[in-house]
Amino acid sequence: MNSEHYLIHGLADLIMSIGQDAFIDKLVYLLRSNASFDDYVVLIYHPDYKPVVLSSSFANDEWALWERYLNGAYLLSPFYDFCTKGGEGFVSLADIAPDDFYSSAYFKEYFESSHLVDEVGLVVQANDHASYLLSLGRTKALSTFNTRVSQKLQALFPVLNSLVKMHDNYHELPKRASHRNIKDYVLNFGEGILTPREKEVMQFLIRGYSSKESARSLQISYETERVHRKNIYAKLAVNSQKELLGKIFDDIVNIPHS
């Protein structure tokens, strides 16, 4: 049986499982038969709720990192930002990440330890502002996703997009907890200490934007942006991005959900 036959049979099997609990597993199986990857996670993002993990390949010893991510660090993720702003398609982390993301403390704290050398995501916008993200990762055991594989995934997207939307229509989403308090805490960190402009600069800083890109987005000069960063560090009594992230997220687990 050639690859086209596997694809056709996989799609047929996926269609038959719409609305059933097995749908996600069959979707992962279909993608694995068309693009090799080491790790995967399927989750639902929403602007008003904490993410829900539907399926993953992570071992028990990897869940400590994921729990930290799911407790609030996801709010700074490029994938979360892309999803909750209405993005759709097969996208790579490199395509949607801020310009200085791979040098940022956030990347080193929450992404680097996964040992992934490449990550792509299938993003589908569903009902009630929910977004499905199926993230596929490759470690050093495999090379990065090449152009041929990327084009194959892009070609599959319109069909998979429709099938996931159909599944969402027939399958009730799991109960999700509000994250309003956590989101407000992160977005308003430094309230009463930082000026409104410094808070804006800090949001770009902790997400992995360079001073140049942050200044361009805020329509201020590079020199002014650098002064704001210096003031942020001084006012919050930190010396680095890493210390700033720690200050934000160390106590986030104690914030009640609402």
Side-chain angles (χ1 to χ4, degrees):
M1 188 180 292
N2 60 35
S3 59
E4 289 186 359
H5 284 132
Y6 278 116
L7 175 59
I8 292 171
H9 282 275
L11 286 171
D13 200 25
L14 185 62
I15 291 169
M16 292 297 294
S17 67
I18 287 174
Q20 300 176 9
D21 291 339
F23 178 85
I24 296 298
D25 289 337
K26 291 183 183 298
L27 175 60
V28 172
Y29 180 80
L30 173 65
L31 288 171
R32 193 180 291 281
S33 65
N34 287 274
S36 299
F37 49 89
D38 298 304
D39 288 326
Y40 77 88
V41 61
V42 185
L43 45 74
I44 296 175
Y45 284 135
H46 192 283
D48 299 327
Y49 302 108
K50 288 187 65 177
V52 173
V53 177
L54 301 180
S55 180
S56 82
S57 61
F58 300 126
N60 289 335
D61 59 356
E62 297 174 297
W63 269 106
L65 176 64
W66 260 99
E67 285 178 347
R68 291 172 58 205
Y69 178 85
L70 294 172
N71 278 332
Y74 63 88
L75 290 165
L76 305 184
S77 167
F79 279 119
Y80 175 80
D81 193 50
F82 182 81
C83 288
T84 55
K85 287 182 178 178
E88 275 195 333
F90 263 110
V91 293
S92 70
L93 177 60
D95 289 337
I96 62 174
D99 62 329
D100 208 27
F101 181 73
Y102 291 97
S103 300
S104 69
Y106 179 73
F107 173 79
K108 295 180 186 301
E109 195 75 12
Y110 295 101
F111 280 77
E112 193 170 54
S113 58
S114 68
H115 305 297
L116 297 180
V117 297
D118 202 3
E119 186 175 2
V120 300
L122 163 69
V123 178
V124 175
Q125 295 297 327
N127 293 315
D128 189 32
H129 306 293
S131 305
Y132 286 78
L133 170 65
L134 200 172
S135 174
L136 313 177
R138 285 185 169 185
T139 64
K140 291 181 179 179
L142 295 169
S143 60
T144 57
F145 292 97
N146 59 33
T147 302
R148 182 185 62 82
V149 174
S150 297
Q151 289 176 344
K152 191 174 186 179
L153 294 176
Q154 291 290 353
L156 273 173
F157 177 75
V159 176
L160 298 183
N161 182 40
S162 296
L163 296 180
V164 173
K165 289 181 188 297
M166 291 174 64
H167 172 71
D168 184 68
N169 286 331
Y170 291 102
H171 192 264
E172 185 176 353
L173 292 178
K175 186 176 180 180
R176 294 161 291 170
S178 170
H179 69 177
R180 185 182 64 188
N181 287 353
I182 294 174
K183 192 172 184 178
D184 287 347
Y185 174 82
V186 173
L187 292 177
N188 294 307
F189 188 82
E191 187 77 39
I193 301 173
L194 304 178
T195 67
R197 178 63 87 187
E198 287 167 350
K199 285 171 59 182
E200 288 179 326
V201 170
M202 187 191 70
Q203 291 299 320
F204 282 96
L205 167 63
I206 60 180
R207 283 169 168 77
Y209 286 85
S210 67
S211 288
K212 182 178 179 180
E213 184 62 21
S214 174
R216 187 193 67 78
S217 298
L218 294 171
Q219 298 183 326
I220 58 178
S221 71
Y222 171 81
E223 292 76 15
T224 299
E225 199 276 353
R226 294 295 295 172
V227 170
H228 285 316
R229 288 198 179 203
K230 184 177 180 180
N231 290 339
I232 291 166
Y233 284 160
K235 289 182 178 182
L236 297 179
V238 296
N239 297 306
S240 64
Q241 277 187 349
K242 183 176 181 179
E243 287 185 22
L244 178 56
L245 280 177
K247 206 173 187 72
I248 294 172
F249 288 115
D250 280 353
D251 292 330
I252 210 167
V253 295
N254 298 319
I255 297 174
H257 302 300
S258 65

